[in-house]
Amino acid sequence: MANSFFAGVCAGVCEATFAVTPQETIKTKLINMNKGMIDGISHIIKTEGIAGLYNGLYSTCLKQAGNQGCRFLFMAQFRSLLTGDKEAKLPKHLTFVGGLGAGLFSVVMTSPFDVVKTRMQSTEAKNYKNTLDCFIQILKLEGPLAYFNGAVARSARVVPGQGIIFVSVDVFYDLISGIVNKKKVV
C-alpha cells in the first residue's frame, strides 16, 4: 500500500509543479485583482516576474501530493478489501464507487493544505512569512475549523470527478488493450 501512496505523492508533486501552481496562482490573482487573463498575467509578470506565477508552490505540492497519494492509497485499499488484491480489476460500478470514496478521502485529508495553498497564492499572501506561518496564523486567528472552509464545495467537484476519472481509466485501458491485442493476433 505504501507504493500506491508514494507513487501518488510523486505524481502530485509533478502535477503541482508543471500545471496546478501556475494555473491556480493566475486564477486566484486574477480574481483578487479583478483583471482579465492577458492584463492580469502581464501585471503579475511585470510586478513579480515569472516567479510570481509560482507563488504557493510548496503549499500546492503539499496539497497535490496529498491528494494523489490519498486517492491511490484509497483505491488500493478498496480493491484489497473487496478482492484481497490491491491491483485487482473491479467491475466498473465498483471502480466508480471506489473513485467516489477516494475523492472524499482526499478532500477530508487535504483540506487544510488547500486552504493554505489558496491563501499563499492570493494577493494577500504578503500577510504570511511562509507556508508554515500561514498554517499557524490560521490556527491562532481563526481556529482549526477554518482549515475546512470550502471543503463541502470542493467535495461537490472532487468526489464525482474522481469517480469519473477512475472508471474512465478502466474503460480506456480496456479499449486500448483490445486494440493492441487485436493487432498482435493479426
Side-chain angles (χ1 to χ4, degrees):
M1 300 301 163
N3 290 349
S4 297
F5 180 76
F6 188 65
V9 165
C10 292
V13 170
C14 289
E15 177 186 31
T17 303
F18 299 112
V20 176
T21 300
Q23 292 301 317
E24 287 285 316
T25 300
I26 291 166
K27 177 192 79 169
T28 302
K29 287 183 178 183
L30 293 180
I31 291 168
N32 291 157
M33 295 184 302
N34 196 26
K35 289 186 180 264
M37 184 104 153
I38 294 169
D39 290 340
I41 293 172
S42 296
H43 177 78
I44 293 166
I45 292 172
K46 283 179 191 170
T47 59
E48 303 174 49
I50 296 294
L53 302 176
Y54 279 88
N55 285 15
L57 175 62
Y58 182 67
S59 55
T60 305
C61 284
L62 289 173
K63 177 199 165 207
Q64 292 307 116
N67 275 343
Q68 301 309 341
C70 286
R71 291 169 186 163
F72 281 80
L73 175 65
F74 186 94
M75 282 303 289
Q77 289 284 77
F78 185 71
R79 286 184 181 107
S80 183
L81 177 72
L82 295 179
T83 68
D85 178 2
K86 67 182 180 180
E87 296 178 18
K89 186 115 169 104
L90 297 175
K92 302 293 186 270
H93 70 283
L94 291 178
T95 299
F96 181 73
V97 169
L100 296 174
L104 182 60
F105 181 63
S106 72
V107 169
V108 170
M109 298 305 291
T110 64
S111 190
F113 299 113
D114 188 50
V115 169
V116 169
K117 172 204 73 80
T118 301
R119 304 251 182 124
M120 293 304 293
Q121 290 177 324
S122 77
T123 55
E124 299 303 313
K126 61 187 176 283
N127 296 331
Y128 308 106
K129 294 177 200 160
N130 53 42
T131 299
L132 180 60
D133 182 55
C134 185
F135 270 107
I136 291 168
Q137 283 195 46
I138 291 170
L139 183 61
K140 281 183 180 177
L141 301 175
E142 302 172 55
L145 290 180
Y147 290 128
F148 294 90
N149 288 345
V152 172
R154 189 169 160 232
S155 293
R157 175 184 56 85
V158 171
V159 172
Q162 291 309 301
I164 292 166
I165 285 171
F166 278 99
V167 81
S168 295
V169 166
D170 278 3
V171 167
F172 286 112
Y173 182 85
D174 290 348
L175 287 171
I176 293 166
S177 292
I179 292 167
V180 169
N181 288 337
K182 278 184 184 178
K183 287 184 179 182
K184 286 182 181 177
V185 172
V186 176

